[in-house]
Amino acid sequence: MNEKNVEYLEKQLQMTGFSDETKAELRTKIAEEQDSFQLTEKKDYGQDKVEARLNFSRSDQGNYFFNSYDLILQKEKADQSNMHQFKVNYGNTFTLKEAYNLLDGRSVNKNFIKVDKEDSKNNKVTNAWSYMDFKNTDAKGNFMIQRKFGFDLEAALNKLPLKNGQNAQVMENLVGSLNKGNRQYVVLEIEGKEEKRYLEAAPKYGNINIYNEQMVRQYASVAKDRSPQQTEGQEKNVSVDQKQGKKEQQDEEGPAGKKKQRTGRSRKVV
């Protein structure tokens, strides 16, 4: 067994968010000296269940490579599972949690690396938001992953009446969590009252999605300069861009912010 090869693969698994149990299973599989093999890891995110199937292969020189992993998402009460194959390559790999967030319809911010094979000093780094296009698939049946450039998350957050929004550490943690595609709990100060909300980045529409405690989308403006006369159910202060973004998202999600059943793109997984 090539110990350096195994240690490199173990580091890849760790950086991608897989467990120590999967790393231990990796050594067992490599010892069997098969040309290719697959590892499986299951995880729950709230009521959502995911299964990752990790794909490995051996080169002609005898080294093993972690090529990709198939992520299967089973939503509570959903008839079918959604599946997508995530490639594993230097500087462009989504972690397990980021992949789950993407497959669950959220956006992830990453620095992507374009490798210069002749001189690594010339590697190019590009920052972008990624999100899944559930309406289109590639030749292998995977959803298309789109990129959005130039969305200023911090500027969008600064428009909201966030409690402790002036605290640098609080904002750093919030930005970091939203960048990973998480839906993050916050407290907003609206008309002198503290309101519990959940936020998620929506770079495709240039804004931030806001949910109440029942996870129902909130479309009313909650900007810092919001008029005291405006109630949560009104939309007088919503901008034209926000209205357009709302319409486009409602077209995709259906009533009450619930995502429509994705037919023709979901797969029954065996």
Side-chain angles (χ1 to χ4, degrees), residues 5-268:
N5 181 212
V6 176
E7 290 177 357
Y8 178 78
L9 293 174
E10 288 178 332
K11 185 176 180 180
Q12 276 190 305
L13 293 180
Q14 181 178 355
M15 296 296 291
T16 313
F18 292 103
S19 66
D20 290 339
E21 289 78 7
T22 298
K23 287 195 292 183
E25 189 178 356
L26 171 70
R27 285 184 170 270
T28 301
K29 284 291 187 179
I30 289 180
E32 295 175 1
E33 298 186 346
Q34 301 178 54
D35 288 337
S36 64
F37 62 87
Q38 193 175 72
L39 303 179
T40 301
E41 180 166 324
K42 296 181 179 181
K43 193 175 182 69
D44 293 344
Y45 292 106
Q47 299 299 316
D48 294 344
K49 298 183 180 297
V50 298
E51 178 179 327
R53 298 175 181 176
L54 292 67
N55 304 306
F56 295 82
S57 64
R58 184 169 59 176
S59 70
D60 293 338
Q61 290 73 35
N63 289 325
Y64 283 92
F65 292 88
F66 179 20
N67 301 309
S68 62
Y69 63 95
D70 303 315
L71 190 66
I72 304 155
L73 169 61
Q74 180 66 55
K75 300 289 291 182
E76 185 184 19
K77 299 180 181 179
D79 295 332
Q80 291 182 309
S81 301
N82 275 349
M83 183 170 71
H84 183 89
Q85 185 176 89
F86 291 89
K87 298 295 184 181
V88 175
N89 49 57
Y90 175 75
N92 299 283
T93 303
F94 290 103
T95 67
L96 177 60
K97 182 63 182 299
E98 290 170 343
Y100 157 70
N101 285 334
L102 286 170
L103 200 51
D104 200 32
R106 290 181 290 280
S107 301
V108 172
N109 180 265
K110 289 182 73 70
N111 288 325
F112 295 94
I113 300 176
K114 184 177 181 180
V115 176
D116 187 318
K117 296 182 179 180
E118 296 183 357
D119 188 351
S120 60
K121 294 181 180 179
N122 294 326
N123 289 353
K124 294 183 179 180
V125 180
T126 303
N127 181 268
W129 287 87
S130 296
Y131 60 91
M132 285 199 169
D133 177 359
F134 293 106
K135 295 180 179 179
N136 295 290
T137 57
D138 61 19
K140 295 183 178 180
N142 286 307
F143 298 116
M144 303 296 290
I145 295 182
Q146 306 292 353
R147 291 185 182 180
K148 174 74 174 182
F149 301 93
F151 174 60
D152 192 335
L153 175 61
E154 293 188 45
L157 288 172
N158 285 334
K159 296 178 181 178
L160 300 178
L162 290 163
K163 183 180 180 180
N164 299 323
Q166 301 303 315
N167 186 306
Q169 188 60 56
V170 169
M171 292 301 293
E172 181 180 343
N173 293 340
L174 176 58
V175 169
S177 180
L178 294 175
N179 277 336
K180 294 177 182 178
N182 297 326
R183 183 176 289 170
Q184 184 64 42
Y185 169 82
V186 298
V187 176
L188 300 180
E189 295 178 331
I190 303 175
E191 297 179 9
K193 298 180 181 179
E194 293 186 356
E195 301 282 353
K196 298 177 181 179
R197 295 290 186 270
Y198 289 85
L199 307 181
E200 67 180 26
K204 178 180 178 181
Y205 305 102
N207 58 25
I208 294 174
N209 290 339
I210 302 176
Y211 298 82
N212 64 15
E213 291 183 274
Q214 290 72 44
M215 293 302 164
V216 177
R217 281 284 307 279
Q218 306 294 287
Y219 290 105
S221 171
V222 289
K224 289 181 179 178
D225 59 351
R226 178 180 170 185
S227 168
Q229 287 76 32
Q230 183 179 350
T231 63
E232 187 172 293
Q234 295 174 313
E235 299 186 19
K236 290 188 293 185
N237 293 340
V238 177
S239 69
V240 173
D241 288 343
Q242 287 175 308
K243 287 181 180 178
Q244 180 62 29
K246 171 190 169 182
K247 181 180 184 302
E248 291 174 355
Q249 285 179 284
Q250 284 180 319
D251 288 343
E252 292 184 1
E253 296 173 351
K258 296 180 180 179
K259 288 183 171 60
K260 292 181 179 179
Q261 183 75 21
R262 291 166 188 155
T263 58
R265 300 293 187 265
S266 301
R267 309 182 191 179
K268 290 184 178 180

